[in-house]
Amino acid sequence: MLVVMNVDATTEQIDAVCAAIRGLGFTPHPMPGAQRTAVCVTGNQGPVHRDVLASLPGVREVISVSKPYKLVSRETHAESTVVRVGGHAIGGGALQFIAGPCSVESEDRMMRIAEGVAALGVPFLRAGAYKPRTSPYAFQGLEQEGLRILDAVRRRFGLRIVTEVLSEESVEAVASVADVLQIGARNMQNFALLKKVARCANPVLLKRGASATVEEWLMAAEYLLSGGNRQVILCERGIRTFSDQTRNTLDVSAIAAVKALSHLPVVADPSHAAGRREFVAPLARAAVAAGADGLIIEAHFDPNSAWSDGAQTIDLDHLAAVIAQARAYERLHVEENASSAR
Ligand code: PEP
Ligand code: MN
């Protein structure tokens, strides 16, 4: 249920609507928009007795939200959300880039990668200090030492850090260094982790689970928004299908669908979808053509020596080419949207 306020509704009127919703035993979520504020109601099992709310001063209309994800839905918030991180925007306009190695490596190697990433004008550095690995014998990440290195890189190059938070216990430590908390594909439905991260001030990059439906992914995002964190970026990283020539299948259709269903920005991860570096560029172009707001790409000065995911990691020249191609596709996409609107 969504209570849409008049354009000139006062703060007192909005507060009174919130109080009335609480009085009914439900939770109000004020959603300020460019034109007007709407108050989303959650916690109701069936339709709220709408007349109670519709008759309050300043209320324009009370409408039902048909989707199970309420706060994430475009029905509740028509304008696209822009997640801002230290002066850099994700969503709502220009294509954004996040690049770096799969794992945090030694301090020297990280400085070299960060320098290359920063030189390409990429404002966000990705690298995992805590790694979710299929094998317990594989490199698990530098953990605390990795966080220290990320902090040093951040200070030296002014890059914004995107890094994964793997468990509830490490949320505080990771959040103290990360500009954006990554929730990995394997944790998309770790509800305890989602609830804890929802209480953090950091923006969140929520990866789609390899076998998750779009609706499950959006419901996972709903945990973050309903828990108080609206700075959420969705990330399509490929799903598991019967296609056998790539690590995963980049679900390009999901990017287009999610842009229509939700106001949240969507970035694509062509690296984990491809699993092979030669497919990163074409998948990146496809994602941009489908409407992605940004790309997160595994890149390294020497991919063959990367400590994890080297096969899908591209070198810095290759990264420069992918960025240039993506920007060219973005221009085409903008022209396409303008001409289809005519
Ligand atoms: C990663 O970003 O390195 C990673 C582990 O990704 P995913 O959770 O998508 O597998
Ligand atoms: Mn990886």
Side-chain angles (χ1 to χ4, degrees), residues 297-317:
I297 297 174
E298 286 186 338
H300 196 291
F301 61 85
D302 179 20
N304 287 333
S305 72
W307 292 6
S308 58
D309 281 351
Q312 67 198 30
T313 301
I314 59 175
D315 68 26
L316 297 166
D317 289 342

Side-chain angles (χ1 to χ4, degrees), residues 206-227:
L206 177 65
K207 290 195 151 197
R208 179 182 179 186
S211 309
T213 64
V214 167
E215 188 160 303
E216 287 165 343
W217 185 22
L218 295 177
M219 291 305 284
E222 187 79 9
Y223 268 87
L224 296 169
L225 272 75
S226 66

Side-chain angles (χ1 to χ4, degrees), residues 139-206:
F139 172 55
Q140 302 287 309
L142 292 178
E143 304 182 335
Q144 276 292 343
E145 168 65 1
L147 293 179
R148 187 197 63 74
I149 294 171
L150 284 175
D151 196 37
V153 165
R154 187 176 185 272
R155 287 170 199 277
R156 172 112 157 243
F157 295 101
L159 287 161
R160 302 289 149 178
I161 304 295
V162 181
T163 195
E164 179 161 353
V165 57
L166 204 55
S167 66
E168 282 171 78
E169 303 82 73
S170 58
V171 169
E172 284 85 6
V174 178
S176 69
V177 171
D179 293 287
V180 177
L181 289 168
Q182 175 174 324
I183 296 187
R186 291 155 192 82
N187 266 325
M188 188 204 84
Q189 285 190 319
N190 180 339
F191 301 117
L193 181 64
L194 292 171
K195 284 181 190 168
K196 186 146 186 198
V197 167
R199 294 195 296 273
C200 293
N202 316 50
V204 184
L205 181 104
L206 177 65

Side-chain angles (χ1 to χ4, degrees), residues 102 126 131 272 298 309 312:
C102 178
R126 62 140 295 142
K131 294 304 302 178
H272 288 85
E298 286 186 338
D309 281 351
Q312 67 198 30

